Amino acid sequence: MTSSSLAPLLAAKSIAIIGASDNPKRIGGIPLELLIRAGFDRVYPINPRYPEIQGRKGYPDIESVPEAVDLAILAVSAQDTLAQLERCHARGAKAAIVFASGYSEEGTEEGERRQAELAAFARRTGMPVAGPNCMGNAHFQQGVFTTFGTSFQPGDAPGRTALVTQSGNMCATIYRIARRFGVNFNHVINTGNEAAVELTDYLRFLAEDPETDSALCYVEGLRDGAAFFEAAEAFRSQGKLLALYKVGASEKGAAATQSHTAALAGDRHAYEAAVKRVGAVAAGSLAELADVAYLHRFRDRQFSRRAAVLSISGAAGAIMADALASAGADMPSLPEALQARLQAAIPGHSMVSNPIDLTGNIANDNEFLLNVMSVVAEADEIDVIILYLPGHFLTRAMDQVAALAARTDKAVVVIDTFALADRAAVEAAGCALFDDFDRAARAIGQYGAWREALGAPRPAKPARATGKAWPAADFRGAALSEVEAKAELARFGVPVAGGKLARSEAEARAAAAAIGGQLVLKLVSPDVQHKSEHGFVKLRIEGADSVAEIYRDMTSRAGAMPGVRVEGVTVEPMLTGGVELLCGCTRDPVFGWMMTVGLGGVFTEVMADVSHRLLPVDAAEAETMLRELKGFRLLTGYRGAPPADVAAAARAIAALSDAVTQADARVREVEINPLIVLPEGRGAFAADGLVLLDAAVEPAEKVVA
């Protein structure tokens, strides 16, 4: 759907309601009643049983309506909908909304058939059909109410924020939450089953809409990742805020996966990686959706995650500092010169570095507050000034707060935990108002990060290497063996630990003699992915006799396992003194390949200390991922250990990205576990490689660009 084709759907000038009811409380009566109260004239209620409907002339059918309408609202059963759509199209209607349920949401064969027929109709005719199973829309600025939802009323103050949800109930819920906190809307859109018009179609329209500055989305699932990226980029290029709340964070089925990567990735992380890539906001709750949109009202002011807290209470300052830290915001210490001026102005020995304790002196001297706030506003290190002034403290100081906001272009956020403030007065002064520490902190962290990303130059998208798709056509089955996997990855520059494949005891002895020192022995079989769990990985082995004994044990035990093919045992040098990483990639059905990077060992197994990105990933982005890990300090020389070769690790991760982006459709997971990162200057090496295949997919011989 093009943006222009959605105009009749979202901003109709003429509307027919098929199945209109004289009862303003029924589904067919609510939109008519709303439109009448909104002063919408060109509305045509259609119901052959009534010559007059809610005081308007009734029409027996769409053919009787005196004009070809922009929009037809179908408040009829699923069984009657398709026939009515055909008649609307023949009469020249440009768009339609289908209220009826009884489609794919039922999970029945009949429901799926009905939805497929509706989608086919939309494709054949080019008519935008919203729904089915949707509650309709509202356009407050133009007074167009095409919904049976009663939360959206004529007279509600219009704004410049759009709300797009895939749930009717959540549409009403978010609307009410946001309005309580000062967010008004221009568009409210419920997408329903999205048989013909998808959420991303609406986003493209809103990105081009001059009356929309921000959009909030409740998402259950997207169908087209590329279309989402396109729409989100359109938002970003125009400085419009796009914030999404994705429901469904549970990782059901993770225990059944064959790789650590798949267990750590999951649906939620793919969405978070996608949102990060496009520079949107991934809200952690419905309230956060409202709060970031609220802060966007103050978008003309400086904003980042760098905040100063001024508080009448030392305890409140500490609480806010903790909340900001948890939200990813920063509280830089003020320059020494500014601290000295604050120390001279604030009686006693109060904290002045950040947070700033205003002490009880604020009750005696309001000008004192303005002077202190003005000093803080001078700090180049600060973009957001947070004032904790509950109840009567704010009432007494409101003139000074307004004076500060007039003097600075930095964001001013006021927190009144007593919830007594005059919201209209605070906002008229150019200040945001919250009554909760945590909500304020999360909103500042989220919106500040978005503003920083908006102002930063867009990194160039890493170029994909070109070459033949892999693996070779003769690879079949569920997985490559470790030897095969490492050989394929090495072709793309992934550094792999050297070693020899032994297919007999004699070859194992010879390999041990040739390599020398401490060795690692691993079973080679495409049918055993987690070798260590079966005792098929042995470390720190010395001597040819020990190697021969382990070879016999591994091959005999594996050979006795049903369906396991044994190709031999690898003999490799033991790498010591390194830090282990997990680096893996899985295919997300919506967004494509996603990479997961984490520290190995307990950090992967228990703490899930990982970072995620959509591919491709270059070395710079790979290093950023590593630095996001809570355990990154282990790579920097923690407790006397030498610093690890982070640059080499980043290059290896980027090479893995190169390899995976050229994998053919059979490849469904690729994992290096572990990638051993040696001390600085000694490199990083893949000690093991896992490539899982979908045997049902035919191999590809095409060149991947």
Side-chain angles (χ1 to χ4, degrees):
M1 293 293 168
T2 64
S3 297
S4 59
S5 70
L6 293 189
L9 178 62
L10 298 175
K13 304 299 184 185
S14 55
I15 300 172
I17 304 176
I18 301 173
S21 173
D22 196 47
N23 184 343
K25 295 184 179 180
R26 294 181 65 86
I27 286 178
I30 294 170
L32 178 59
E33 191 268 342
L34 291 173
L35 287 165
I36 291 171
R37 278 201 289 122
F40 193 95
D41 290 328
R42 291 161 63 189
V43 56
Y44 305 100
I46 296 174
N47 193 320
R49 291 184 293 174
Y50 306 107
E52 184 177 287
I53 305 174
Q54 294 189 38
R56 294 294 181 99
K57 178 183 177 181
Y59 296 85
D61 48 46
I62 188 65
E63 291 80 7
S64 304
V65 171
E67 64 173 308
V69 296
D70 284 344
L71 176 67
I73 299 174
L74 277 71
V76 297
S77 69
Q79 292 88 339
D80 295 335
T81 291
L82 188 59
Q84 290 291 344
L85 281 173
E86 294 283 6
R87 294 171 67 178
C88 289
H89 175 61
R91 182 65 180 85
K94 297 182 180 71
I97 296 176
V98 176
F99 287 163
S101 57
Y103 292 84
S104 64
E105 82 282 354
E106 287 190 338
T108 64
E109 186 175 326
E110 178 66 11
E112 295 288 353
R113 181 189 62 77
R114 285 198 191 109
Q115 182 144 330
E117 290 175 346
L118 194 153
F121 165 84
R123 286 193 300 272
R124 172 170 53 83
T125 62
M127 178 187 285
V129 178
N133 188 35
C134 74
M135 67 187 296
N137 311 317
H139 188 342
F140 292 93
Q141 288 170 325
Q142 296 189 17
V144 182
F145 293 84
T146 59
T147 176
F148 62 82
T150 56
S151 293
F152 321 112
Q153 293 290 318
D156 286 356
R160 300 184 65 84
T161 297
L163 175 60
V164 187
T165 75
Q166 293 178 319
S167 160
N169 181 266
M170 287 302 101
C171 195
T173 298
I174 297 168
Y175 179 80
R176 290 177 180 272
I177 291 173
R179 281 184 56 83
R180 284 201 301 269
F181 288 92
V183 178
N184 295 324
F185 294 90
N186 58 349
H187 287 283
V188 171
I189 300 166
N190 174 228
T191 69
N193 287 13
E194 301 184 9
V197 186
E198 299 181 7
L199 184 142
T200 50
D201 295 318
Y202 293 111
L203 291 183
R204 281 197 295 267
F205 174 89
L206 296 170
E208 298 178 10
D209 179 20
E211 297 177 344
T212 299
D213 291 330
S214 58
L216 311 182
C217 301
Y218 170 87
V219 179
E220 294 174 354
L222 296 176
R223 293 164 171 79
D224 187 337
F228 170 71
F229 290 147
E230 178 187 335
E233 184 56 40
F235 265 80
R236 187 189 185 283
S237 66
Q238 299 186 51
K240 295 185 178 186
L241 171 70
L242 176 60
L244 301 93
Y245 174 73
K246 171 68 173 68
V247 72
S250 62
E251 306 296 353
K252 291 182 179 179
T257 60
Q258 288 187 281
S259 74
H260 295 294
T261 302
L264 292 165
D267 177 70
R268 174 171 61 95
H269 295 301
Y271 275 85
E272 290 173 352
V275 169
K276 181 176 290 188
R277 168 152 288 185
V278 299
V281 172
S285 68
L286 300 181
E288 279 184 33
L289 276 180
D291 291 342
V292 293
Y294 174 62
L295 287 181
H296 195 56
R297 289 176 52 187
F298 306 93
R299 58 191 169 277
D300 292 337
R301 292 184 172 270
Q302 283 181 228
F303 216 111
S304 74
R305 287 174 290 182
R306 304 185 307 164
V309 175
L310 292 81
S311 171
I312 63 155
S313 160
I319 290 170
M320 194 62 197
D322 288 348
L324 287 168
S326 296
D330 188 22
M331 291 180 59
S333 294
L334 299 181
E336 294 291 339
L338 294 185
Q339 289 192 45
R341 290 168 59 188
L342 292 173
Q343 196 72 67
I346 301 175
H349 301 282
S350 178
M351 178 179 289
V352 294
S353 62
N354 192 13
I356 296 99
D357 186 355
L358 296 169
T359 72
N361 197 53
I362 187 176
N364 303 318
D365 183 1
N366 278 355
E367 289 305 315
F368 151 80
L369 173 62
L370 180 57
N371 292 336
V372 170
M373 292 188 300
S374 298
V375 171
V376 174
E378 293 179 27
D380 293 336
E381 296 80 4
I382 301 299
D383 292 311
V384 181
I385 300 170
I386 302 171
L387 306 174
Y388 175 62
L389 299 170
H392 68 276
F393 288 102
L394 178 58
T395 302
R396 293 179 180 179
M398 192 59 227
D399 288 345
Q400 285 68 38
V401 172
L404 169 71
R407 289 183 182 182
T408 182
D409 63 353
K410 297 183 178 183
V412 179
V413 177
V414 178
I415 300 176
D416 172 17
T417 51
F418 294 0
L420 299 176
D422 182 339
R423 176 173 291 277
V426 173
E427 293 171 353
C431 307
L433 176 66
F434 288 88
D435 59 14
D436 180 89
F437 293 119
D438 291 324
R439 282 189 68 169
R442 287 194 295 269
I444 290 167
Q446 288 271 33
Y447 187 68
W450 179 79
R451 284 286 293 269
E452 291 170 11
L454 187 68
R458 292 289 275 172
K461 187 175 180 180
R464 286 177 56 180
T466 58
K468 255 194 183 311
W470 66 275
D474 57 348
F475 280 124
R476 299 287 179 172
L480 304 187
S481 72
E482 178 190 339
V483 170
E484 294 165 342
K486 288 164 72 174
E488 291 291 317
L489 297 177
R491 291 174 47 214
F492 295 89
V494 176
V496 299
K500 296 181 181 296
L501 172 62
R503 292 185 171 86
S504 66
E505 283 187 46
E507 288 184 0
R509 285 178 176 275
I515 297 171
Q518 289 190 327
L519 304 169
V520 177
L521 273 68
K522 292 181 286 186
L523 181 78
V524 178
S525 170
D527 305 312
V528 181
Q529 277 79 56
H530 299 305
K531 296 183 287 290
S532 59
E533 295 177 8
H534 298 279
F536 292 147
V537 178
K538 298 296 182 182
L539 308 177
R540 297 182 176 84
I541 307 303
E542 295 186 64
D545 290 341
S546 296
V547 168
E549 182 180 346
I550 291 170
Y551 179 94
R552 288 193 301 272
D553 174 67
M554 282 188 181
T555 54
S556 62
R557 286 193 297 112
M561 296 170 64
V564 171
R565 294 163 291 166
V566 177
E567 297 181 0
V569 171
T570 57
V571 183
E572 301 175 0
M574 180 75 194
L575 299 178
T576 59
V579 177
E580 293 188 0
L581 298 179
L582 173 142
C583 311
C585 302
T586 55
R587 283 190 193 268
D588 181 80
V590 176
F591 300 111
W593 281 110
M594 182 176 70
M595 175 176 282
T596 299
V597 172
L599 288 170
V602 68
F603 293 94
T604 294
E605 299 289 348
V606 178
M607 299 178 67
D609 182 17
V610 291
S611 177
H612 304 280
R613 290 292 191 282
L614 299 182
L615 297 188
V617 167
D618 62 9
E621 187 73 3
E623 184 164 338
T624 299
M625 295 176 72
L626 292 173
R627 292 181 181 276
E628 288 177 354
L629 302 176
K630 298 181 182 69
F632 177 72
R633 289 178 64 191
L634 294 175
L635 291 164
T636 63
Y638 186 66
R639 290 196 172 181
D645 201 334
V646 174
R651 290 193 298 271
I653 294 168
L656 174 63
S657 171
D658 262 355
V660 171
T661 53
Q662 295 198 74
D664 74 24
R666 286 175 297 165
V667 179
R668 57 187 179 86
E669 292 179 30
V670 181
E671 180 178 279
I672 298 172
N673 186 20
L675 177 72
I676 299 178
V677 189
L678 297 175
E680 205 165 38
R682 293 175 54 192
F685 299 91
D688 201 348
L690 173 68
V691 175
L692 300 181
L693 305 176
D694 186 344
V697 179
E698 288 299 315
E701 291 291 347
K702 64 175 183 275
V703 173
V704 179

